[in-house]
Amino acid sequence: MKRAAVRMADVAALAGVSAGTASKALNNTGQLSPETRERVRRAAAQLGFMPDARGRALSSGRTFTVALLTTDSSGRFSIPIMRGVEDVLSAGELATVLCDTRDDPLREQTYLRSLVARNVDGIVVTGRRTEPRRPINVPLPVVYALAPSTDPADASVVIDDTAGAAATVTHLLNLGRSRIAHITGPSHHRSAVQRAESVVSTAGDALCTEPLFGEWSEQWGRQATDLVLRQNPDAISCGSDQIARGVCERLRELGRPVPDEIAVTGYDNWLVMALASRPPLTTVDLRLEELGRRAATLLLEAIDGKEHHGVLELPAQLIPRESTLGT
């Protein structure tokens, strides 16, 4: 019968220390006493533990490497997701490899062939859009993050954009705003449409004009502000922080104080936009790191033989700031 691989936890238990301490001792990191390092090394030698990646691979048949395959060249979404993935994987001493396909199908296929040849343990697939995407065809565990797979049998983790957008409108209504306008991104983007539909249904009679679709840019926010002001809104809900920052800048130029006269909300909680806006934006945090953590957890379970199926929808979080609350 095949002998079970010795784990870091086994070494830690024999040495009477935590797994983290055992890892530091064997990798010669951290501030540990010589006595502790020696005790851990003796325990590892007694159990036949092989701490290097090659040894672990030989003893388990795994490479202890997971790939993050993304179409997000800018890293706006993939980097926070990767941080969440690494939070989970690093605890199990797995390495994460980032593969940017740049939205090129041929590049994606090249990466996939390479990853399969390297025998990675699994793949997290993500990107910069929320549209469902075609599944990848590999003999490995796969989890989709942000953009779900079109195959309902696959495991996908997404953000509840509908509830996130509804939260901004509910917040505005609770503040007494009664004429709400909505400015958002391209009408062919799923996230823009979902958020706009949620704003319309939540605002009801408080919606003072039809949602305006355009670009994910500050320039569009400035241009659209001039259009919606004809409807005398007392609040403007925006489909992204970039748009909202443009709205705030245009209102400031026109002498229309935010939020005293018009409250403004953004979406994404992109801090370089949300905090640089004048005033800082009330917005919706997509909690991308948590999305990455949940995707990595599902992937680890799939690697261990416990596969998940279907879509797991995570809640977004409203972050109130001065653009609606004032100073």
Side-chain angles (χ1 to χ4, degrees):
M1 189 170 76
K2 185 178 178 181
R3 180 183 174 186
V6 178
R7 303 170 303 163
M8 183 70 72
D10 301 324
V11 176
L14 182 59
V17 298
S18 69
T21 297
S23 177
K24 291 175 183 177
L26 294 175
N27 289 293
N28 201 31
T29 60
Q31 298 180 350
L32 305 177
S33 69
E35 293 79 14
T36 298
R37 291 188 191 279
E38 183 58 27
R39 190 165 72 252
V40 171
R41 290 187 184 117
R42 284 199 305 267
Q46 180 178 335
L47 295 173
F49 178 74
M50 292 181 288
D52 63 283
R54 182 178 300 176
R56 298 177 74 198
L58 289 173
S59 65
S60 66
R62 290 174 50 187
T63 60
F64 294 90
T65 303
V66 165
L68 182 69
L69 188 74
T70 181
T71 61
D72 176 26
S73 298
S74 69
R76 163 69 187 92
F77 299 97
S78 60
I79 296 303
I81 290 173
M82 185 172 73
R83 284 199 295 265
V85 167
E86 289 188 328
D87 283 347
V88 172
L89 298 184
S90 62
E93 299 186 335
L94 278 76
T96 308
V97 177
L98 179 64
C99 302
D100 175 18
T101 69
R102 305 178 195 176
D103 250 345
D104 182 346
L106 292 178
R107 182 181 288 269
E108 178 174 284
Q109 290 305 311
T110 299
Y111 269 129
L112 291 175
R113 285 194 295 270
S114 175
L115 294 172
V116 171
R118 292 171 183 270
N119 197 32
V120 299
D121 293 332
I123 302 175
V124 174
V125 179
T126 187
R128 64 179 182 275
R129 299 274 293 273
T130 62
E131 278 77 9
R133 58 152 293 156
R134 292 179 61 184
I136 61 175
N137 183 20
V138 293
L140 300 168
V142 178
V143 174
Y144 298 81
L146 193 64
S149 168
T150 54
D151 186 344
D154 289 333
S156 302
V157 187
V158 302
I159 301 297
D160 188 350
D161 264 336
T162 297
T168 65
V169 176
T170 300
H171 174 69
L172 293 170
L173 294 173
N174 289 339
L175 291 173
R177 307 291 172 160
S178 59
R179 294 188 59 79
I180 301 173
H182 184 64
I183 302 171
T184 192
S187 59
H188 59 277
H189 280 213
R190 183 171 181 257
S191 57
V193 173
Q194 276 191 319
R195 294 168 192 177
E197 289 176 346
S198 181
V199 167
V200 170
S201 62
T202 307
D205 293 339
L207 193 73
C208 65
T209 184
E210 291 296 314
L212 291 184
F213 292 90
E215 301 174 350
W216 301 117
S217 69
E218 293 179 64
Q219 180 181 7
W220 165 238
R222 294 167 63 89
Q223 293 171 347
T225 299
D226 290 335
L227 298 176
V228 299
L229 285 179
R230 300 170 186 172
Q231 306 300 323
N232 298 314
D234 59 9
I236 300 177
S237 160
C238 299
S240 78
D241 292 337
Q242 286 176 286
I243 294 173
R245 185 177 177 185
V247 169
C248 287
E249 288 297 305
R250 183 56 179 155
L251 290 174
R252 192 166 58 86
E253 290 173 356
L254 296 172
R256 310 288 292 271
V258 177
D260 294 347
E261 186 174 338
I262 301 177
V264 178
T265 63
Y267 206 101
D268 292 337
N269 198 31
W270 187 10
L271 295 183
V272 295
M273 287 289 167
L275 297 183
S277 177
R278 293 181 289 178
L281 294 172
T282 289
T283 185
V284 173
D285 191 337
L286 297 179
R287 303 172 67 227
L288 294 174
E289 290 192 24
E290 176 61 19
L291 183 98
R293 284 190 284 269
R294 296 298 289 273
T297 299
L298 293 183
L299 186 64
L300 284 181
E301 291 178 356
I303 291 171
D304 288 337
K306 183 183 177 183
E307 293 186 359
H308 293 264
H309 306 282
V311 177
L312 173 63
E313 199 169 49
L314 301 183
Q317 181 181 7
L318 180 72
I319 308 294
R321 295 193 181 99
E322 288 92 326
S323 68
T324 58
L325 300 179
T327 56

